[in-house]
Amino acid sequence: MKLKHLILVAAAACSISAQAQTSLNLSNYAVTGTYTLDRFNGVSGGLSGLEASAVTYARDRTDPFTGKLGTLFFVGDEGTGVIEMSRTGQTISSMTFSGGTNLGWPTTSTHRDSEGLTYLGGGVLVVVDERLQDAFRFSYVAGGTVNLANAPFVSIGGNAGNNGLEGISYDPRGTGSFVSIKQQSPQDVLAGALTFATGAGGTSGMVNLFNPALMGVTTLADIQTLSPIDGLTGTAAADNLLVLSLGSKKLLEVTRSGQTLSFIDLTNISPNNAFEGVTVDEKGVIYLVAEQDQTSGALSDAGSLLVVMAPVPEPEAYIMMLAGLGFVGVYQRRKKQQARTQTLQP
């Protein structure tokens, strides 16, 4: 057997585990970068608002700093726009919510409480007003404006005050669907189709997935489907969800029946910044946004944070790789010994 064939055998052995993957396994993740985000001044706290409250990944957008595909969008609580940034927190551009009598929001939006954000592709975003529990769809234009009061929208629930929708995530599989999360009183984890329309709005097919009490956490802050991760395509793990809890300071990986598969304790990661948004890229890298430090004595102009987390190789993968390489090494030594023996023979 040729050496390249042996290497392929070892690689195939390693890939078996990946193909059978049922969990992202958050215990393998570690922080790889923390970045302070620009704070925008202006009316009502500026574009970024009082705190970064939601983030989403745009796979098909070009990062001008690197020339590579993949950027992030984020919104702030009670902010007046959406900001595009690099995967290391550099501001690329922004778009303002503007127009009408309520700074680009419907007149029924009492606080312009932008707490959920997701990317549909092709420059199209969906932003959620927590209190109204309405989702608004619009096309991003760098340097442009959008009046959400005139944008296609859909109501996912009634007015819930300050306990409403905290997150939304788009699942691109099939014809496309959504998952969303309600903060508390009661907590809800929802999934289903959404249609958007102007005027009276579109229709929601969102239904409860499971009893959130199964997760055992308080104050739900955001949700993210794992289906966009390339390495999970075709596996059971692609169905799983990331659920961010502000009150319990945890990031959970759960099934769609509510079983917790893995989690990260965020208590000691930027402990003075409350995490409010989560998203992933196609490689499985996790991006979290957190509000700026608001503890006593903190700088008044402190910015919100972007925290990046990436997986480290699993021990099992190392063992498989080393076993394969060890087999290759034995094979090479035997070939050399055979060659020396043949040379010494009369």
Side-chain angles (χ1 to χ4, degrees):
M1 185 181 289
K2 294 182 178 180
L3 177 59
K4 67 177 182 180
H5 291 159
L6 292 174
I7 295 174
L8 288 174
V9 169
C14 292
S15 69
I16 291 173
S17 174
Q19 291 171 357
Q21 189 166 351
T22 58
S23 170
L24 193 62
N25 197 356
L26 296 178
S27 64
N28 288 327
Y29 275 71
V31 174
T32 58
T34 300
Y35 309 95
T36 301
L37 306 181
D38 289 334
R39 183 170 180 178
F40 292 77
N41 297 320
V43 65
S44 190
L47 291 175
S48 58
L50 303 175
E51 60 196 49
S53 58
V55 62
T56 190
Y57 177 68
R59 181 174 185 161
D60 59 1
R61 304 275 299 182
T62 300
D63 180 347
F65 299 108
T66 65
K68 298 179 180 179
L69 289 175
T71 67
L72 300 167
F73 288 97
F74 82 96
V75 290
D77 180 25
E78 301 183 24
T80 57
V82 58
I83 298 159
E84 184 175 21
M85 63 179 173
S86 73
R87 284 185 269 186
T88 52
Q90 297 168 285
T91 299
I92 295 172
S93 62
S94 63
M95 185 177 187
T96 304
F97 302 148
S98 180
T101 59
N102 199 19
L103 298 176
W105 290 85
T107 55
T108 50
S109 178
T110 55
H111 289 78
R112 302 176 297 278
D113 212 351
S114 47
E115 291 282 358
L117 186 70
T118 194
Y119 185 70
L120 307 189
V124 180
L125 291 160
V126 171
V127 65
V128 168
D129 183 310
E130 175 189 0
R131 298 168 189 249
L132 294 180
Q133 299 196 101
D134 287 351
F136 303 87
R137 189 188 69 200
F138 64 96
S139 293
Y140 183 81
V141 178
T145 63
V146 59
N147 186 351
L148 297 177
N150 298 330
F153 79 100
V154 57
S155 182
I156 300 174
N159 194 318
N162 202 28
N163 295 314
L165 292 180
E166 282 282 331
I168 190 168
S169 179
Y170 180 61
D171 187 335
R173 295 177 297 179
T175 58
S177 61
F178 296 83
V179 291
S180 64
I181 204 160
K182 184 177 179 293
Q183 177 176 302
Q184 59 188 2
S185 303
Q187 295 178 343
D188 283 320
V189 181
L190 307 167
L194 295 175
T195 61
F196 296 82
T198 55
T203 57
S204 170
M206 304 287 274
V207 296
N208 286 284
L209 279 178
F210 56 84
N211 180 1
L214 293 171
M215 298 184 293
V217 293
T218 63
T219 320
L220 305 181
D222 204 2
I223 191 167
Q224 170 66 46
T225 176
L226 297 187
S227 58
I229 300 176
D230 288 347
L232 300 185
T233 301
T235 72
D239 255 354
N240 297 343
L241 306 169
L242 293 181
V243 174
L244 178 63
S245 169
L246 176 64
S248 298
K249 298 182 179 180
K250 286 184 178 180
L251 179 66
L252 310 173
E253 179 191 11
V254 302
T255 67
R256 296 202 178 207
S257 60
Q259 177 189 5
T260 297
L261 300 175
S262 63
F263 72 92
I264 298 173
D265 187 344
L266 303 173
T267 303
N268 296 317
I269 301 174
S270 301
N272 294 331
N273 303 79
F275 289 97
E276 297 215 2
V278 61
T279 193
V280 296
D281 66 18
E282 69 275 9
K283 296 181 180 179
V285 177
I286 295 173
Y287 304 88
L288 297 160
V289 291
E291 64 181 30
Q292 69 266 32
D293 185 348
Q294 297 181 20
T295 57
S296 177
L299 297 175
S300 60
D301 61 347
S304 296
L305 296 182
L306 171 68
V307 175
V308 183
M309 307 186 77
V312 296
E314 298 183 20
E316 293 86 352
Y318 271 129
I319 291 170
M320 295 287 285
M321 186 181 300
L322 290 173
L325 291 176
F327 178 58
V328 170
V330 170
Y331 171 80
Q332 289 177 318
R333 286 195 294 273
R334 286 180 178 176
K335 291 290 289 184
K336 289 179 180 179
Q337 182 63 41
Q338 290 173 356
R340 285 195 295 269
T341 301
Q342 291 172 356
T343 300
L344 294 173
Q345 288 178 348

